[in-house]
Structure formats: structure tokens, C-alpha cells
Amino acid sequence: MIAETVCSAVSVAGLGIAAVTAYRKRFLSAARIAAYSLVPVGLVMTGVVGWVAETAFSPTAWAGFVVLGGAWLLFMGTRAVERRRGGTRKERRAARDSAQPDAVAPAASAPSLGPAKRPATRPAATPRAQSGDDFSDIEAILKKHGI
């Protein structure tokens, strides 16, 4: 009962401040203040305030909050350790597997990842005549302009 009265008083005070702000021709600020001042009354009308009041004086509820806090601390602690180690177990396993040079595909007879082998023979070099054809057009243009 006291919580509802306090919330109503806070809302009335907020609406009064909003009215004074609107009188000073600051309508945007007045609307924002009015919105904030209506929140406590809305919480009382929905029953949230009554639920919070019942929860605040319940030892079982406080024990539940302690258990939730402990779970949160455990979760955050494991996340911190995971970051120091370098990722999740799956990520570490994938990194370890990809670092092995002798990785073999399931149906392959030879390693799929290995040192690259160069071909024994080099392909024959392209003749200069073909590359000369490319420059013959340029030479013709330069001669045309007297360069």
C-alpha cells in the first residue's frame, strides 16, 4: 500500500514539473518528463510493484537471486578462461587439425596438403614475334606522329 502511494506521489510530482516546463515553452522536454512520470503509475497498475514488494521480503526470493548471481559468476569466469586459452574446444581442435601438414582426405592415397612440387620441365618460352606484334601497333602510331 505504501509503495503504491509513493509511486502515485512521484508521478504527480513529475506531471507538475512537466506542466511547469511546458509553461516555459519547452514542449519537447515537458513531454519527455511527462512520459517518465507516468512510468511509476503504470507499474502500479500492472501489478509489478506488488510483485516486487512481495519478492523483496521473501527469503526464498533472495536465495534465488544469490543462486542466479553464482551462476552468472561461473559463466563469466569460464568465458574469461576460454578467452585466455584461445577460443572454444571446437576452435582449438580445428586449429590443431589444420596445422598438421600430413592431412589426408578420407579416400585419398596421398596427402592432400604437402609441399608443392615443381614440374620437371619448364614450358617453352613464348617467341618474341608474338610480343613484337603487340608493340608494332604502338610503333606505327609513334611513327605517324613523328616520334
Side-chain angles (χ1 to χ4, degrees):
M1 183 81 171
I2 293 174
E4 289 86 359
T5 306
V6 169
C7 286
S8 299
V10 168
S11 291
V12 169
L15 290 174
I17 293 170
V20 170
T21 305
Y23 179 74
R24 292 182 181 173
K25 307 263 188 219
R26 297 177 60 198
F27 298 111
L28 187 61
S29 296
R32 190 174 297 123
I33 292 169
Y36 281 124
S37 67
L38 291 174
V39 169
V41 170
L43 291 175
V44 167
M45 293 174 79
T46 58
V48 172
V49 173
W51 177 79
V52 169
E54 291 172 8
T55 305
F57 298 113
S58 170
T60 307
W62 282 105
F65 284 124
V66 169
V67 169
L68 286 174
W72 181 79
L73 286 173
L74 281 172
F75 179 70
M76 297 312 279
T78 56
R79 292 289 295 171
V81 170
E82 188 176 81
R83 283 191 200 116
R84 292 188 112 196
R85 285 189 179 173
T88 63
R89 181 182 297 168
K90 287 182 181 179
E91 291 171 351
R92 288 191 306 268
R93 184 177 296 147
R96 186 179 64 234
D97 291 342
S98 68
Q100 293 178 352
D102 295 324
V104 178
S109 60
S112 58
L113 297 174
K117 296 180 182 176
R118 293 186 178 195
T121 59
R122 292 186 181 179
T126 57
R128 289 284 182 186
Q130 290 178 354
S131 63
D133 291 339
D134 295 339
F135 292 114
S136 63
D137 296 337
I138 296 171
E139 289 176 4
I141 294 171
L142 291 174
K143 285 181 183 177
K144 180 180 176 184
H145 291 287
I147 299 177

